[in-house]
Amino acid sequence: MYKNIMVAVDHSPQSPQVLDEAIKLAKMSGARLHVVTIANLYEFAFDEAGRRDEGRLQVQAESKARQVLEPHLIRAEQEGVNVSAHPVVSWGAGEEIAKALINEAQDSDAEVLVMGTHGRTGLAHLFLGSVAEAVIRSAPMPVLILRSPDRH
C-alpha cells in the first residue's frame, strides 16, 4: 500500500479528525507519517506593517507552526506511528499554500496527501480561496480530503 503519507494540519477544530484518518491509514499500511502545517509569512506581515523583515517574519511563523504541530506529533507518536513533523513556509493563501503543500509532499516522497477542507463559501471562498480545491487540481499523488463535520 503506502510507505509515506503526508498529512496537513492547522489550528482548526477539524485537524484532530484529519490526523486520526492519516494515523489509521499509516497503521493499515505500515507507512511513515509526515505531519505538516503552513508557516504563513503573509499573516505575520500585517502585524509588522511597514517593517518587512522577512527573516523575523519567518522565525515568528515557524514558531507558531511548531506550536500547531506539537500536539499532532505527540498524538501520532502515542499511536505508535513512525512520524516526523515540519512547518512549510508560504507567502500567501489559496494557490500559494497549495503549491507549498504539494512541493513538500513531493520532497517527502508522499504517496498520498491527507488534509481537511474548511468548507468556506461565498466571500470567504472568493477572497481566501480553497487550498483543498487547488491541491486536488494540481497534486500528482492521491489526495484524501475530509470535510469539516459542521458543514452539510
Side-chain angles (χ1 to χ4, degrees), residues 5-151:
I5 298 168
M6 187 174 104
V7 57
V9 297
D10 58 16
H11 59 279
S12 72
Q14 181 188 14
S15 280
Q17 174 196 10
V18 172
L19 180 68
D20 286 347
E21 287 300 316
I23 288 171
K24 284 183 208 172
L25 195 56
K27 283 181 160 183
M28 283 190 319
S29 59
R32 179 180 68 89
L33 187 61
H34 185 54
V35 184
V36 301
T37 194
I38 294 294
N40 195 342
L41 302 178
Y42 188 68
E43 290 176 21
F44 289 91
F46 285 112
D47 294 339
E48 299 285 321
R51 299 175 290 167
R52 187 172 165 190
D53 178 353
E54 195 166 323
R56 183 175 174 190
L57 293 175
Q58 185 154 346
V59 168
Q60 289 176 322
E62 286 183 5
S63 175
K64 183 175 180 183
R66 289 188 197 288
Q67 290 172 3
V68 169
L69 287 171
E70 187 66 22
H72 299 294
L73 179 62
I74 291 169
R75 170 94 172 91
E77 287 172 343
Q78 289 172 340
E79 289 291 326
V81 175
N82 179 2
V83 62
S84 62
H86 181 69
V88 176
V89 177
S90 176
W91 269 105
E95 295 281 340
E96 292 302 315
I97 291 173
K99 286 178 192 175
L101 288 172
I102 292 167
N103 288 339
E104 181 66 23
Q106 291 176 309
D107 290 348
S108 66
D109 296 322
E111 297 156 304
V112 64
L113 171 56
V114 181
M115 63 186 295
T117 181
H118 293 215
R120 291 184 183 104
T121 59
L123 288 177
H125 180 76
L126 179 65
F127 289 117
L128 298 173
S130 171
V131 174
E133 223 176 89
V135 167
I136 290 168
R137 281 195 306 269
S138 302
M141 73 279 301
V143 180
L144 173 59
I145 301 288
L146 286 94
R147 284 182 29 174
S148 178
D150 59 343
R151 296 283 177 188

